[in-house]
Amino acid sequence: MKFGSIAHEVEVNVPTRRALFQAVRQRFENRTGFALATLNLDHLTKLPHDPDFLSAYRAHDLVVADGRPVVWMSRLAGKPVALMPGSDLIIPLCKVCAEMDAPIALVGSSDAALKGAADALTRTVPGLQVAYTHSPRYGFDPAGNEAKEIFQALAASGAGLCFVALGAPKQEIFAAQGRKHAPDVGFASIGAGLDFLSGHQVRAPKIMRALALEWLWRALQSPTRMIPRYAKCFAILPSLIAQSLRQR
C-alpha cells in the first residue's frame, strides 16, 4: 500500500506481524542487516517537505503501519495492513533476538532512559543481551561524524539489532546511514518506545489505545508540542482518503 503524492510516496511493504517476524528471522539467519520504519501521519506530513527524510525512508528495507489512520486508509484502498506501533514491537523483537542469540543495542533518548530500558528488557526477556548503548549529545547529526563513530562501535559490539529512539526524521536518517556503515546490523526506529519502557514517559492507558485515542492522551500530556503536530496530521486526511479510494 502506497501513501503520499507520487513525488513523495512511500510504501508499507510488510502487511502483517507474521510477515515482519519472518523477514527479521531470515535476515538474522543470513547475517544481513535491515532498516525498519513505522509509518504514521506525522511522517506523512514531514516527507513532502524534507528530501533527506524521504530519501532515508525509501532506503528502508521494511516499512510497517504505525497509527490507526494508516491502517484505515489501507482498508479503504482494499489493501489492508496490520497495525504495528514501534513501541509494541520492541519486546517481540527482543524475544526473537534472544531466541537467535543476537545481542541488541539502544541508541537515542538519555543515558538514564537507556539504562532503565535495558534493565526492563533484560528482566522481561530471558537470555537477552544488551551489547551497546549510546545517548547522542544535543544537536546530534544522524549523518555526521558522531553517527559514524556509533556505527563503528555497533559493528564492533556484535549487536544484531539496534533500537533507535531519536524521533523523526533523525532516527530514520540514522537508520538509513546505518545500512551503509554497519550493514550487518538491523535498525528499528521506535520513537518514544525506550522512554515508555524506562518510565521516563507514560504511555496512554490500554483503553485509550483500544479506542484509537492515544493521540488525545499525548496531546494532553504535551499540548504545546503535540497539538500543532496533530493539526497538520488532520489537515492531510482528506487527500489521503481520496488517494486510498483511487487505489481501491
Side-chain angles (χ1 to χ4, degrees):
M1 170 71 188
K2 294 180 179 179
F3 295 86
S5 64
I6 293 175
H8 309 105
E9 72 181 9
V10 293
E11 182 177 7
V12 172
N13 61 6
V14 186
T16 65
R17 288 174 68 94
R18 180 179 179 182
L20 172 64
F21 289 106
Q22 282 180 338
V24 169
R25 281 190 170 91
Q26 185 174 18
R27 286 175 178 268
F28 282 154
E29 287 172 357
N30 297 336
R31 298 187 180 276
T32 304
F34 60 89
L36 166 64
T38 57
L39 183 69
N40 59 35
L41 283 187
D42 178 51
H43 296 176
L44 288 169
T45 66
K46 291 182 168 75
L47 286 165
H49 308 289
D50 190 333
D52 291 337
F53 188 29
L54 179 62
S55 176
Y57 231 96
R58 288 176 170 173
H60 277 61
D61 308 276
L62 310 170
V63 181
V64 300
D66 177 357
R68 291 185 186 273
V70 175
V71 172
W72 294 335
M73 297 306 117
S74 73
R75 291 175 182 171
L76 271 180
K79 302 174 182 179
V81 298
L83 178 67
M84 290 184 264
S87 297
D88 291 345
L89 293 176
I90 298 173
I91 289 176
L93 285 171
C94 284
K95 288 180 178 178
V96 174
C97 289
E99 173 190 327
M100 303 193 72
D101 197 26
I104 67 165
L106 310 176
V107 172
S109 194
S110 66
D111 289 331
L114 295 188
K115 183 180 184 308
D119 290 345
L121 287 170
T122 51
R123 284 197 308 269
T124 304
V125 183
L128 181 69
Q129 304 171 58
V130 180
Y132 177 78
T133 64
H134 183 83
S135 176
R137 62 176 180 265
Y138 180 76
F140 172 68
D141 178 358
N145 290 331
E146 184 181 0
K148 291 176 182 176
E149 292 172 1
I150 295 172
F151 295 135
Q152 290 175 355
L154 279 171
S157 73
L161 176 60
C162 176
F163 290 104
V164 189
L166 295 168
K170 281 188 177 183
Q171 61 192 12
E172 288 79 15
I173 294 172
F174 179 83
Q177 291 289 317
R179 293 297 289 117
K180 294 185 288 185
H181 298 290
D184 295 337
V185 180
F187 294 86
S189 298
I190 41 82
L194 301 182
D195 287 330
F196 293 146
L197 280 169
S198 66
H200 283 70
Q201 288 191 45
V202 179
R203 196 174 180 190
K206 288 185 178 179
I207 184 63
M208 293 191 76
R209 283 181 262 159
L211 294 172
L213 292 174
E214 187 166 11
W215 66 271
L216 179 59
W217 171 268
R218 296 190 69 186
L220 293 172
Q221 297 293 305
S222 183
T224 303
R225 183 168 67 94
M226 299 307 296
I227 289 177
R229 176 186 294 186
Y230 288 131
K232 292 178 182 177
C233 291
F234 288 131
I236 67 170
L237 280 175
S239 64
L240 288 176
I241 291 171
Q243 181 200 22
S244 298
L245 292 173
R246 286 195 299 271
Q247 291 189 57
R248 194 171 179 83

